[in-house]
């Protein structure tokens, strides 16, 4: 059974930082590209960032470039997202997404076959 369990969210002031984690199990983590997506209240899913299987190629939505960093540790079956310079508009439920294959050429991806339950990030003064 595929499981994706996020953690690390919380309440942070504008300009602050957080590090999100996604622990994966039930599949060969190193064989699949992964992404982070988010959903703000009353809005649809929004792709945030993606990473290839080896972790060497990363991709970001324009609204997070230079502020967020995606990474993965295939030995630990864990996906990460470091959030810096947070803005109030970053407030959302952040979820990790398993791609359907290991092939990923970059760009937004909302066609994954599994999503985690998410971890809430709230940016407020």
């Amino acid at each position: 059974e595929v499981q994706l369990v996020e953690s690390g969210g919380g309440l942070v002031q504008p300009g602050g930082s957080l590090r999100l984690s996604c622990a994966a199990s039930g599949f060969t983590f190193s064989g699949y590209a992964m992404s982070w997506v988010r959903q703000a209240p009353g809005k649809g899913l929004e792709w945030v960032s993606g990473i290839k299987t080896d972790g060497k190629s990363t991709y970001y939505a324009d609204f997070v470039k230079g502020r967020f960093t995606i990474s993965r540790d295939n030995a630990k079956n864990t996906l990460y997202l470091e959030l810096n310079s947070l803005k109030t508009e970053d407030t959302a439920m952040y979820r990790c997404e398993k791609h359907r294959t290991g092939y990923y050429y970059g760009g937004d991806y909302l066609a994954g076959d599994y999503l985690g339950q998410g971890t809430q990030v709230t940016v407020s003064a």
Side-chain angles (χ1 to χ4, degrees):
E1 178 189 3
V2 171
Q3 288 195 321
L4 301 169
V5 180
E6 300 92 338
S7 61
L11 173 63
V12 63
Q13 292 186 339
S17 298
L18 286 171
R19 190 190 195 205
L20 309 183
S21 298
C22 170
S25 62
F27 65 103
T28 305
F29 180 71
S30 60
Y32 291 86
M34 298 290 294
S35 282
W36 285 96
V37 301
R38 70 185 186 184
Q39 188 165 20
K43 296 187 177 181
L45 279 176
E46 182 175 50
W47 177 81
V48 175
S49 179
I51 189 168
K52 289 191 175 183
T53 54
D54 62 4
K56 293 181 180 179
S57 296
T58 58
Y59 306 90
Y60 299 92
D62 286 344
F63 54 81
V64 302
K65 275 182 182 176
R67 300 190 298 123
F68 292 6
T69 303
I70 190 172
S71 61
R72 66 191 294 164
D73 186 334
N74 286 341
K76 295 183 178 180
N77 291 344
T78 303
L79 178 72
Y80 302 99
L81 186 68
E82 185 171 345
L83 292 68
N84 296 308
S85 302
L86 281 161
K87 306 176 181 180
T88 55
E89 53 262 44
D90 293 319
T91 295
M93 182 72 74
Y94 285 73
R95 306 170 75 179
C96 59
E97 174 191 32
K98 173 186 170 293
H99 289 216
R100 294 181 182 271
T101 73
Y103 296 103
Y104 175 46
Y105 300 102
D108 58 338
Y109 186 93
L110 292 174
D113 50 4
Y114 290 92
L115 280 174
Q117 291 296 312
T119 185
Q120 178 67 38
V121 172
T122 302
V123 185
S124 175

